[in-house]
């Protein structure tokens, strides 16, 4: 097989795998034969939450510890509801509910802080 055909086949396979992963992520009670894929979904969902919550907090001019606590509660709550109610996974397969709840939290927190600080500073300071 030529190098271009092999690269093209690899690209198609990755695209269909990503499409399948995305479909399972937004479908309730999906099957997750590969634990790493589900952890990747949790990680990237959390990153999206960090960006979205940071934008909202910056627009609403939320300040201080209240913003930090609300972010932590909202972020952990949404993830917990996602894996326990929406996907109905067995938490023990992943090391317990705490392991899933903290998956990717610190990077999400950093993303949230950057978005919150930049937007708040840009909109509410002269």
């Amino acid at each position: 097989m030529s190098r271009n055909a092999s690269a093209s086949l690899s690209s198609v396979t990755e695209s269909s795998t990503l499409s399948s992963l995305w479909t399972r992520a937004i479908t309730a009670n999906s099957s997750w034969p590969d634990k790493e894929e589900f952890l990747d979904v949790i990680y990237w969902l959390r990153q999206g939450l960090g960006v979205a919550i940071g934008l909202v907090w910056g627009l609403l001019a939320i300040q201080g510890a209240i913003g930090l606590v609300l972010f932590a509660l909202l972020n952990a709550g949404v993830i917990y509801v996602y894996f326990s109610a929406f996907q109905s996974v067995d938490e023990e397969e992943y090391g317990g509910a705490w392991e899933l709840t903290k998956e990717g939290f610190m990077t999400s927190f950093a993303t949230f802080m950057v978005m919150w600080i930049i937007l708040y500073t840009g909109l509410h300071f002269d």
Side-chain angles (χ1 to χ4, degrees):
M1 184 180 292
S2 73
R3 171 172 260 175
N4 288 339
S6 176
S8 177
L9 182 60
S10 174
S11 174
V12 169
T13 304
E14 288 175 18
S15 176
S16 66
T17 303
L18 186 58
S19 174
S20 169
L21 185 64
W22 174 249
T23 302
R24 282 186 288 153
I26 62 173
T27 304
N29 301 319
S30 295
S31 172
W32 297 96
D34 184 6
K35 292 179 184 179
E36 289 298 316
E37 285 182 344
F38 185 67
L39 293 175
D40 288 345
V41 168
I42 295 288
Y43 177 86
W44 287 109
L45 177 61
R46 203 179 279 278
Q47 300 320 304
L49 279 171
V51 169
I53 296 170
L55 290 173
V56 170
W57 271 213
L59 288 171
L60 297 178
I62 295 175
Q63 301 176 10
I66 298 218
L68 297 174
V69 170
L70 286 174
F71 165 77
L73 292 174
L74 188 60
N75 193 313
V78 167
I79 294 299
Y80 183 79
V81 168
Y82 177 75
F83 73 74
S84 67
F86 186 73
Q87 289 294 340
S88 299
V89 298
D90 181 17
E91 295 101 5
E92 295 307 316
E93 289 183 28
Y94 297 92
W98 180 246
E99 290 299 319
L100 285 170
T101 303
K102 69 180 188 174
E103 175 71 26
F105 181 80
M106 290 310 290
T107 52
S108 175
F109 180 70
T111 303
F112 158 75
M113 290 296 290
V114 168
M115 297 305 294
W116 185 24
I117 291 167
I118 289 173
L119 197 61
Y120 182 87
T121 303
L123 293 177
H124 305 289
F125 282 103
D126 291 332

